[in-house]
Amino acid sequence: MSIIHFEEIRQSIQVKGICQKCSKRRSRTVSAGMTVNPFNKNPDGTVRTRSEIYNAVNEKLRVSTDKMKENFICKSCFDALPWPQEWPEKKGVSNAKT
Ligand SMILES: [Zn+2]
């Protein structure tokens, strides 16, 4: 038995905003990734190609970025929040199996 490593397509983007908790101007990095594998399929059941995965990752990233802009909070305030709370990284923005 061998371990197969699938290639991961990962993208990240920096979001700037004013923290709603401490009112400081901060920036955070949002990242999203997906692996290229035979189980990563399109809604129509076909296996996603690298460029389709690339698009899907960008879409995930766009959703996370929009969410973050809506309710911007800096990393240190975020880490101090009680669990669970309304934040995409901890809730899991996407149900897509990666
Ligand atoms: Zn803050």
Side-chain angles (χ1 to χ4, degrees):
M1 207 170 142
S2 62
I3 298 167
I4 301 163
H5 290 284
F6 293 114
E7 180 191 359
E8 186 183 31
I9 294 175
R10 180 159 279 276
Q11 298 257 83
S12 63
I13 196 166
Q14 208 177 54
V15 181
K16 288 183 181 157
I18 294 171
C19 177
Q20 298 199 340
K21 292 258 176 198
C22 64
S23 306
K24 285 177 185 150
R25 184 172 285 278
R26 288 284 161 85
S27 66
R28 293 189 60 187
T29 306
V30 187
S31 68
M34 248 185 219
T35 52
V36 182
N37 69 64
F39 312 104
N40 196 346
K41 292 181 178 168
N42 287 308
D44 67 3
T46 56
V47 176
R48 278 177 166 147
T49 62
R50 290 185 85 253
S51 67
E52 281 167 343
I53 290 171
Y54 197 79
N55 289 339
V57 169
N58 276 319
E59 179 59 21
K60 267 172 89 170
L61 201 59
R62 197 185 59 74
V63 171
S64 311
T65 308
D66 285 353
K67 276 222 155 143
M68 190 175 283
K69 280 180 181 161
E70 244 168 53
N71 188 19
F72 191 83
I73 188 165
C74 73
K75 185 81 170 73
S76 38
C77 292
F78 173 68
D79 288 342
L81 285 177
W83 173 282
Q85 38 67 43
E86 297 294 310
W87 203 250
E89 295 117 286
K90 286 188 179 173
K91 256 172 68 178
V93 138
S94 167
N95 311 319
K97 290 201 175 98
T98 54

